[in-house]
Amino acid sequence: MGRVAELAGVSVRTLHHYDEIGLAQPSARTSAGYRAYSAGDVERLREVLAFRRLGFGLREIADLVDDPHTDAVARLHRLRGLLLDQRDRAAAMVTAIDKELEARAMGVRTTSEERLHPLGARLYENIGSAYPATRRTEPRIAAQVWQALGDARTVLNVGAGTGSYEPPDRDVIAVEPSAVMRAQRPEGSAPCVAAAAERLPFPDRSFDAAMAFSTVHHWRDPVAGLREMRRVARRVVVFTHDATDAGWRDRFWLSRDYLPEVGHLVAGRPSVDQLARAFGARLEPVLIPWDCADGFFEAYWRRPEAYLEEPVRRAISVWTRVGPEAERRAVAALREDLSSGRWAERNRHLVDLDAAELGLRLLVA
């Protein structure tokens, strides 16, 4: 046990505690009869320690590593996604601190709010103020979402943002962790609770249905969030995108020709099939109309000039996540191709389409 503790960078006392509570127990025996860690025990301990260092509680970790619906490979993919998310947040913090150091070197004093922002900011805080301008309910997609809700009268909207796609003829409770988003919910909208998807503050089966629209990719642990939705509701409807197809990047010209960094954003995240299996969902394709009213990433597939507009990009999280250098390069290249006619020549097959299949999906359980 001492050798394992040394290799893992934890105390022997910690390993004894994990043993006592049944979280990570040595099951093998040495020739002298002492208990030892087998290869399987080490693999489990590795997962326990990784989740622990990501901030999960011991009870949560036990549920994760004992999950009968996942194997070691699936848990490694999940860990990788969580670690990449943590890395991205750390990188954003470093960038913000570098900007402050640069400002101070120039004799510019930052405000108290600016000093605290790198520590407390989340992605929605950075993009949320731009949402009202371009992120509105698209009626044709809303009809598909609301039909999937079936006869549900009480609905929980998780990651609700500013309230788009909340059905007006049902009793809705919203959940949204971002104060910026909550502040922009219109007067008369559904009551909104400050909470995260992974820990919904409601008893089991509190709602007829739970829905989540274009938000799962922002969650710290999508699988945990989806299972929480399943716990509190008898029906679950989730709008997300499918990035599992090997050729998915080629479906949309923006990620194919101008912003290949999008591929790095989904690397390590659970696939749409893994998400569906996590709560027993079926998949439904969602077509995007050419004049889509909701300005999400793929919405302007037949209106490329829109991506040249700063307000449009600021309301799409992808542009913030890829960083300013990639954004400047992509916008410059797109502007040049629109001016030269190269974009029109390359994408002439889109002109006569009324709707496009670009990998958007409803997960319904």
Side-chain angles (χ1 to χ4, degrees):
M1 187 172 285
R3 178 58 175 157
V4 170
E6 179 183 356
L7 290 171
V10 297
S11 67
V12 172
R13 183 176 180 180
T14 295
L15 295 185
H16 277 303
H17 180 58
Y18 291 169
D19 183 10
E20 290 168 2
I21 64 176
L23 188 59
Q25 298 175 312
S27 60
R29 293 281 179 178
T30 67
S31 57
Y34 294 106
R35 297 177 69 192
Y37 289 87
S38 68
D41 300 335
V42 169
E43 183 172 355
R44 181 183 176 94
L45 177 62
R46 190 243 336 251
E47 294 176 7
V48 168
L49 294 174
F51 280 121
R52 187 63 174 150
R53 287 164 184 167
L54 282 165
F56 286 84
L58 295 181
R59 183 170 297 179
E60 291 177 293
I61 294 172
D63 291 339
L64 288 166
V65 297
D66 290 327
D67 185 348
H69 302 291
T70 60
D71 57 18
V73 173
R75 289 193 295 273
L76 282 175
H77 278 297
R78 191 174 185 181
L79 270 174
R80 185 175 185 274
L82 291 168
L83 288 167
L84 286 173
D85 182 65
Q86 187 180 70
R87 181 198 65 185
D88 291 344
R89 293 182 187 278
M93 187 182 298
V94 168
T95 299
I97 291 173
D98 285 344
K99 288 181 180 178
E100 181 177 348
L101 288 172
E102 182 179 350
R104 292 195 176 200
M106 297 171 62
V108 177
R109 295 290 295 174
T110 56
T111 66
S112 297
E113 290 81 2
E114 288 170 333
R115 292 173 206 154
L116 289 174
H117 187 70
L119 300 176
R122 291 292 186 267
L123 183 60
Y124 272 158
E125 267 64 19
N126 295 329
I127 66 174
S129 60
Y131 261 60
T134 63
R135 301 303 297 270
R136 298 180 294 274
T137 299
E138 164 49 54
R140 287 155 290 191
I141 295 178
Q144 187 173 351
V145 174
W146 297 343
Q147 182 178 12
L149 291 173
D151 60 356
R153 299 308 310 163
T154 57
V155 178
L156 179 68
N157 187 16
V158 181
T162 59
S164 298
Y165 298 92
E166 291 176 357
D169 58 343
R170 315 190 197 207
D171 295 326
V172 178
I173 298 292
V175 165
E176 173 53 53
S178 166
V180 170
M181 289 294 192
R182 293 196 303 272
Q184 294 181 89
R185 292 178 63 82
E187 184 177 354
S189 61
C192 189
V193 177
E198 295 86 350
R199 294 185 179 182
L200 296 175
F202 306 104
D204 295 356
R205 292 292 191 258
S206 298
F207 302 90
D208 294 333
M211 61 177 284
F213 192 94
S214 195
T215 179
V216 173
H217 54 290
H218 293 302
W219 296 355
R220 180 174 181 241
D221 188 343
V223 171
L226 292 172
R227 288 179 179 165
E228 271 288 271
M229 291 176 67
R230 192 58 164 153
R231 178 184 66 79
V232 303
R234 63 178 177 82
R235 179 184 292 267
V236 176
V237 178
V238 175
F239 177 91
T240 187
H241 63 277
D242 180 6
T244 57
D245 182 358
W248 73 272
R249 293 178 187 84
D250 293 334
R251 284 197 292 243
F252 185 31
W253 54 263
L254 183 56
S255 54
R256 180 192 66 208
D257 301 330
Y258 303 98
L259 208 59
E261 289 84 358
V262 172
H264 302 305
L265 299 181
V266 300
R269 303 293 287 178
S271 69
V272 71
D273 292 326
Q274 288 173 323
L275 295 179
R277 287 196 298 270
F279 66 113
R282 71 176 189 275
L283 300 177
E284 293 182 9
V286 178
L287 300 183
I288 308 172
W290 77 269
D291 55 348
C292 184
D294 189 355
F296 49 77
F297 182 58
E298 300 90 348
Y300 305 98
W301 58 271
R302 216 182 85 175
R303 296 170 289 166
E305 296 83 1
Y307 294 109
L308 303 181
E309 300 176 16
E310 178 77 13
V312 167
R313 298 198 305 276
R314 291 288 66 78
I316 299 172
S317 63
V318 166
W319 293 102
T320 299
R321 295 176 68 194
V322 298
E325 183 178 344
E327 180 177 359
R328 284 192 294 269
R329 187 209 65 239
V331 170
L334 176 58
R335 180 177 285 110
E336 181 179 343
D337 284 356
L338 287 172
S339 177
S340 68
R342 190 178 297 112
W343 184 91
E345 174 63 24
R346 186 183 293 153
N347 298 285
R348 58 184 181 275
H349 62 286
L350 300 179
V351 175
D352 296 325
L353 293 182
D354 291 327
E357 204 290 87
L358 296 177
L360 300 185
R361 298 288 182 268
L362 276 189
L363 279 59
V364 183

Short mmCIF file of all heavy atoms in Angstrom, two decimals, residues 110-149:
data_model
loop_
_atom_site.label_atom_id
_atom_site.label_comp_id
_atom_site.label_asym_id
_atom_site.label_seq_id
_atom_site.Cartn_x
_atom_site.Cartn_y
_atom_site.Cartn_z
N THR A 110 -6.56 48.07 -13.38
CA THR A 110 -7.81 47.35 -13.64
C THR A 110 -8.79 47.56 -12.49
O THR A 110 -8.40 47.83 -11.36
CB THR A 110 -7.55 45.85 -13.82
OG1 THR A 110 -6.86 45.35 -12.66
CG2 THR A 110 -6.70 45.59 -15.04
N THR A 111 -10.08 47.39 -12.79
CA THR A 111 -11.11 47.55 -11.77
C THR A 111 -11.22 46.27 -10.94
O THR A 111 -10.69 45.21 -11.31
CB THR A 111 -12.48 47.82 -12.42
OG1 THR A 111 -12.88 46.66 -13.17
CG2 THR A 111 -12.40 49.02 -13.35
N SER A 112 -11.94 46.35 -9.83
CA SER A 112 -12.15 45.17 -8.99
C SER A 112 -12.89 44.09 -9.74
O SER A 112 -12.60 42.90 -9.61
CB SER A 112 -12.93 45.57 -7.73
OG SER A 112 -12.20 46.50 -6.95
N GLU A 113 -13.88 44.51 -10.55
CA GLU A 113 -14.64 43.54 -11.32
C GLU A 113 -13.75 42.80 -12.32
O GLU A 113 -13.86 41.59 -12.50
CB GLU A 113 -15.79 44.24 -12.07
CG GLU A 113 -16.90 44.76 -11.17
CD GLU A 113 -16.56 46.09 -10.52
OE1 GLU A 113 -15.45 46.63 -10.80
OE2 GLU A 113 -17.37 46.58 -9.73
N GLU A 114 -12.84 43.54 -12.96
CA GLU A 114 -11.94 42.93 -13.94
C GLU A 114 -10.98 41.95 -13.27
O GLU A 114 -10.61 40.94 -13.86
CB GLU A 114 -11.16 44.01 -14.68
CG GLU A 114 -12.01 44.82 -15.66
CD GLU A 114 -11.29 46.03 -16.20
OE1 GLU A 114 -10.39 46.57 -15.50
OE2 GLU A 114 -11.61 46.45 -17.32
N ARG A 115 -10.58 42.24 -12.03
CA ARG A 115 -9.66 41.33 -11.34
C ARG A 115 -10.35 40.04 -10.94
O ARG A 115 -9.75 38.97 -10.94
CB ARG A 115 -9.10 42.02 -10.09
CG ARG A 115 -8.17 43.18 -10.41
CD ARG A 115 -7.79 43.90 -9.15
NE ARG A 115 -7.43 45.29 -9.44
CZ ARG A 115 -7.53 46.27 -8.57
NH1 ARG A 115 -7.98 46.04 -7.35
NH2 ARG A 115 -7.18 47.50 -8.90
N LEU A 116 -11.62 40.14 -10.58
CA LEU A 116 -12.35 38.94 -10.16
C LEU A 116 -12.87 38.13 -11.33
O LEU A 116 -13.06 36.92 -11.21
CB LEU A 116 -13.54 39.33 -9.27
CG LEU A 116 -13.20 39.85 -7.88
CD1 LEU A 116 -14.47 40.34 -7.19
CD2 LEU A 116 -12.52 38.77 -7.05
N HIS A 117 -13.04 38.77 -12.47
CA HIS A 117 -13.66 38.10 -13.62
C HIS A 117 -12.96 36.81 -14.04
O HIS A 117 -13.63 35.80 -14.30
CB HIS A 117 -13.74 39.06 -14.81
CG HIS A 117 -14.51 38.52 -15.97
ND1 HIS A 117 -15.87 38.34 -15.94
CD2 HIS A 117 -14.09 38.09 -17.18
CE1 HIS A 117 -16.26 37.83 -17.09
NE2 HIS A 117 -15.21 37.67 -17.86
N PRO A 118 -11.62 36.76 -14.12
CA PRO A 118 -10.97 35.51 -14.55
C PRO A 118 -11.25 34.34 -13.61
O PRO A 118 -11.21 33.19 -14.02
CB PRO A 118 -9.47 35.86 -14.53
CG PRO A 118 -9.43 37.33 -14.63
CD PRO A 118 -10.62 37.83 -13.90
N LEU A 119 -11.54 34.63 -12.34
CA LEU A 119 -11.76 33.56 -11.38
C LEU A 119 -13.20 33.07 -11.39
O LEU A 119 -13.47 31.89 -11.19
CB LEU A 119 -11.41 34.04 -9.96
CG LEU A 119 -9.96 34.49 -9.78
CD1 LEU A 119 -9.77 35.04 -8.38
CD2 LEU A 119 -9.02 33.33 -10.01
N GLY A 120 -14.14 33.95 -11.66
CA GLY A 120 -15.54 33.57 -11.55
C GLY A 120 -16.26 33.39 -12.86
O GLY A 120 -17.37 32.89 -12.89
N ALA A 121 -15.66 33.80 -13.96
CA ALA A 121 -16.38 33.80 -15.24
C ALA A 121 -16.61 32.39 -15.76
O ALA A 121 -15.83 31.49 -15.56
CB ALA A 121 -15.60 34.58 -16.28
N ARG A 122 -17.74 32.24 -16.43
CA ARG A 122 -18.06 31.03 -17.17
C ARG A 122 -18.34 31.45 -18.60
O ARG A 122 -18.55 32.62 -18.89
CB ARG A 122 -19.28 30.32 -16.57
CG ARG A 122 -19.03 29.70 -15.20
CD ARG A 122 -18.05 28.52 -15.31
NE ARG A 122 -17.91 27.83 -14.05
CZ ARG A 122 -16.98 28.08 -13.16
NH1 ARG A 122 -16.12 29.08 -13.38
NH2 ARG A 122 -16.91 27.40 -12.05
N LEU A 123 -18.40 30.49 -19.48
CA LEU A 123 -18.58 30.81 -20.90
C LEU A 123 -19.84 31.62 -21.13
O LEU A 123 -19.86 32.57 -21.90
CB LEU A 123 -18.62 29.51 -21.71
CG LEU A 123 -18.75 29.68 -23.22
CD1 LEU A 123 -17.57 30.47 -23.76
CD2 LEU A 123 -18.84 28.33 -23.88
N TYR A 124 -20.94 31.25 -20.47
CA TYR A 124 -22.19 31.97 -20.67
C TYR A 124 -22.07 33.43 -20.24
O TYR A 124 -22.73 34.30 -20.80
CB TYR A 124 -23.33 31.30 -19.90
CG TYR A 124 -24.02 30.21 -20.66
CD1 TYR A 124 -24.73 29.22 -20.00
CD2 TYR A 124 -23.98 30.16 -22.05
CE1 TYR A 124 -25.38 28.21 -20.70
CE2 TYR A 124 -24.62 29.16 -22.75
CZ TYR A 124 -25.32 28.20 -22.07
OH TYR A 124 -25.97 27.21 -22.76
N GLU A 125 -21.23 33.72 -19.23
CA GLU A 125 -21.05 35.10 -18.82
C GLU A 125 -20.40 35.90 -19.95
O GLU A 125 -20.62 37.09 -20.09
CB GLU A 125 -20.18 35.18 -17.56
CG GLU A 125 -20.97 35.20 -16.25
CD GLU A 125 -21.75 33.94 -16.00
OE1 GLU A 125 -21.44 32.91 -16.62
OE2 GLU A 125 -22.69 33.95 -15.18
N ASN A 126 -19.58 35.23 -20.75
CA ASN A 126 -18.89 35.92 -21.85
C ASN A 126 -19.78 36.13 -23.06
O ASN A 126 -19.64 37.10 -23.79
CB ASN A 126 -17.65 35.11 -22.27
CG ASN A 126 -16.62 35.05 -21.18
OD1 ASN A 126 -16.48 35.97 -20.39
ND2 ASN A 126 -15.88 33.95 -21.12
N ILE A 127 -20.71 35.22 -23.30
CA ILE A 127 -21.53 35.32 -24.51
C ILE A 127 -22.97 35.71 -24.22
O ILE A 127 -23.70 36.09 -25.13
CB ILE A 127 -21.53 33.98 -25.29
CG1 ILE A 127 -22.22 32.87 -24.48
CG2 ILE A 127 -20.13 33.58 -25.65
CD1 ILE A 127 -22.39 31.58 -25.25
N GLY A 128 -23.37 35.63 -22.95
CA GLY A 128 -24.78 35.80 -22.61
C GLY A 128 -25.38 37.13 -23.00
O GLY A 128 -26.55 37.21 -23.39
N SER A 129 -24.61 38.21 -22.89
CA SER A 129 -25.17 39.54 -23.19
C SER A 129 -25.56 39.69 -24.65
O SER A 129 -26.34 40.57 -25.00
CB SER A 129 -24.15 40.62 -22.80
OG SER A 129 -22.95 40.44 -23.52
N ALA A 130 -25.02 38.85 -25.54
CA ALA A 130 -25.33 38.95 -26.97
C ALA A 130 -26.54 38.12 -27.36
O ALA A 130 -27.03 38.25 -28.49
CB ALA A 130 -24.11 38.51 -27.80
N TYR A 131 -27.04 37.27 -26.48
CA TYR A 131 -28.10 36.34 -26.84
C TYR A 131 -29.39 36.99 -27.35
O TYR A 131 -29.96 36.52 -28.34
CB TYR A 131 -28.41 35.43 -25.65
CG TYR A 131 -27.75 34.08 -25.75
CD1 TYR A 131 -26.36 33.98 -25.83
CD2 TYR A 131 -28.49 32.91 -25.75
CE1 TYR A 131 -25.74 32.76 -25.92
CE2 TYR A 131 -27.86 31.68 -25.84
CZ TYR A 131 -26.50 31.60 -25.93
OH TYR A 131 -25.89 30.39 -26.03
N PRO A 132 -29.91 38.02 -26.70
CA PRO A 132 -31.22 38.54 -27.14
C PRO A 132 -31.26 38.98 -28.59
O PRO A 132 -32.32 38.95 -29.22
CB PRO A 132 -31.45 39.73 -26.19
CG PRO A 132 -30.64 39.42 -24.98
CD PRO A 132 -29.41 38.73 -25.51
N ALA A 133 -30.13 39.41 -29.15
CA ALA A 133 -30.12 39.94 -30.51
C ALA A 133 -30.37 38.87 -31.56
O ALA A 133 -31.03 39.13 -32.57
CB ALA A 133 -28.79 40.64 -30.79
N THR A 134 -29.85 37.67 -31.36
CA THR A 134 -29.90 36.66 -32.42
C THR A 134 -30.42 35.30 -31.98
O THR A 134 -30.72 34.46 -32.83
CB THR A 134 -28.51 36.44 -33.04
OG1 THR A 134 -27.62 35.94 -32.03
CG2 THR A 134 -27.94 37.74 -33.59
N ARG A 135 -30.53 35.04 -30.69
CA ARG A 135 -30.95 33.72 -30.23
C ARG A 135 -32.41 33.74 -29.84
O ARG A 135 -32.79 34.11 -28.73
CB ARG A 135 -30.08 33.27 -29.06
CG ARG A 135 -28.60 33.19 -29.39
CD ARG A 135 -28.30 32.26 -30.57
NE ARG A 135 -28.66 30.90 -30.32
CZ ARG A 135 -27.84 30.00 -29.79
NH1 ARG A 135 -26.61 30.33 -29.45
NH2 ARG A 135 -28.24 28.76 -29.61
N ARG A 136 -33.26 33.38 -30.80
CA ARG A 136 -34.70 33.39 -30.60
C ARG A 136 -35.27 32.02 -30.96
O ARG A 136 -34.66 31.24 -31.68
CB ARG A 136 -35.35 34.47 -31.47
CG ARG A 136 -34.88 35.88 -31.14
CD ARG A 136 -35.56 36.91 -32.04
NE ARG A 136 -35.17 36.76 -33.44
CZ ARG A 136 -34.09 37.32 -33.96
NH1 ARG A 136 -33.27 38.04 -33.21
NH2 ARG A 136 -33.80 37.17 -35.24
N THR A 137 -36.46 31.74 -30.48
CA THR A 137 -37.11 30.47 -30.76
C THR A 137 -37.41 30.34 -32.25
O THR A 137 -38.03 31.22 -32.85
CB THR A 137 -38.42 30.34 -29.96
OG1 THR A 137 -38.13 30.39 -28.56
CG2 THR A 137 -39.13 29.03 -30.30
N GLU A 138 -36.95 29.25 -32.85
CA GLU A 138 -37.28 28.93 -34.23
C GLU A 138 -38.56 28.07 -34.20
O GLU A 138 -38.54 26.95 -33.71
CB GLU A 138 -36.14 28.17 -34.89
CG GLU A 138 -36.48 27.44 -36.18
CD GLU A 138 -37.22 28.31 -37.19
OE1 GLU A 138 -36.73 29.40 -37.52
OE2 GLU A 138 -38.32 27.89 -37.62
N PRO A 139 -39.69 28.59 -34.72
CA PRO A 139 -40.98 27.90 -34.57
C PRO A 139 -40.99 26.46 -35.10
O PRO A 139 -41.61 25.58 -34.50
CB PRO A 139 -41.95 28.79 -35.36
CG PRO A 139 -41.30 30.12 -35.39
CD PRO A 139 -39.82 29.87 -35.43
N ARG A 140 -40.31 26.21 -36.22
CA ARG A 140 -40.36 24.88 -36.81
C ARG A 140 -39.59 23.86 -35.96
O ARG A 140 -40.00 22.71 -35.82
CB ARG A 140 -39.82 24.93 -38.24
CG ARG A 140 -40.77 25.61 -39.22
CD ARG A 140 -40.07 26.20 -40.42
NE ARG A 140 -39.27 27.38 -40.07
CZ ARG A 140 -38.73 28.20 -40.95
NH1 ARG A 140 -38.90 27.98 -42.25
NH2 ARG A 140 -38.02 29.25 -40.56
N ILE A 141 -38.49 24.28 -35.38
CA ILE A 141 -37.76 23.38 -34.47
C ILE A 141 -38.51 23.25 -33.15
O ILE A 141 -38.60 22.16 -32.57
CB ILE A 141 -36.33 23.90 -34.25
CG1 ILE A 141 -35.54 23.84 -35.56
CG2 ILE A 141 -35.62 23.10 -33.17
CD1 ILE A 141 -34.12 24.37 -35.47
N ALA A 142 -39.09 24.36 -32.69
CA ALA A 142 -39.86 24.32 -31.45
C ALA A 142 -41.01 23.33 -31.55
O ALA A 142 -41.30 22.60 -30.59
CB ALA A 142 -40.38 25.71 -31.11
N ALA A 143 -41.68 23.29 -32.70
CA ALA A 143 -42.80 22.37 -32.89
C ALA A 143 -42.36 20.93 -32.71
O ALA A 143 -43.07 20.10 -32.12
CB ALA A 143 -43.42 22.58 -34.26
N GLN A 144 -41.16 20.60 -33.21
CA GLN A 144 -40.64 19.24 -33.07
C GLN A 144 -40.30 18.94 -31.61
O GLN A 144 -40.57 17.84 -31.11
CB GLN A 144 -39.41 19.05 -33.95
CG GLN A 144 -38.90 17.62 -33.99
CD GLN A 144 -37.77 17.43 -35.00
OE1 GLN A 144 -37.48 18.32 -35.79
NE2 GLN A 144 -37.13 16.28 -34.97
N VAL A 145 -39.72 19.93 -30.92
CA VAL A 145 -39.39 19.74 -29.51
C VAL A 145 -40.65 19.56 -28.69
O VAL A 145 -40.75 18.64 -27.86
CB VAL A 145 -38.58 20.94 -28.98
CG1 VAL A 145 -38.37 20.84 -27.47
CG2 VAL A 145 -37.24 21.04 -29.69
N TRP A 146 -41.64 20.41 -28.91
CA TRP A 146 -42.86 20.35 -28.11
C TRP A 146 -43.65 19.09 -28.40
O TRP A 146 -44.30 18.53 -27.51
CB TRP A 146 -43.71 21.60 -28.37
CG TRP A 146 -43.00 22.87 -27.94
CD1 TRP A 146 -41.92 22.96 -27.10
CD2 TRP A 146 -43.30 24.20 -28.35
NE1 TRP A 146 -41.53 24.26 -26.96
CE2 TRP A 146 -42.35 25.06 -27.71
CE3 TRP A 146 -44.26 24.77 -29.17
CZ2 TRP A 146 -42.37 26.44 -27.88
CZ3 TRP A 146 -44.28 26.15 -29.35
CH2 TRP A 146 -43.34 26.98 -28.71
N GLN A 147 -43.61 18.62 -29.64
CA GLN A 147 -44.28 17.35 -29.96
C GLN A 147 -43.62 16.21 -29.20
O GLN A 147 -44.29 15.29 -28.71
CB GLN A 147 -44.23 17.09 -31.46
CG GLN A 147 -44.95 15.81 -31.86
CD GLN A 147 -44.94 15.58 -33.37
OE1 GLN A 147 -44.22 16.25 -34.10
NE2 GLN A 147 -45.73 14.63 -33.84
N ALA A 148 -42.29 16.26 -29.08
CA ALA A 148 -41.57 15.21 -28.35
C ALA A 148 -41.90 15.22 -26.87
O ALA A 148 -41.78 14.18 -26.19
CB ALA A 148 -40.06 15.38 -28.54
N LEU A 149 -42.33 16.36 -26.34
CA LEU A 149 -42.72 16.41 -24.93
C LEU A 149 -44.02 15.65 -24.68
O LEU A 149 -44.34 15.37 -23.51
CB LEU A 149 -42.91 17.87 -24.50
CG LEU A 149 -41.63 18.72 -24.42
CD1 LEU A 149 -41.98 20.17 -24.14
CD2 LEU A 149 -40.67 18.19 -23.37
#
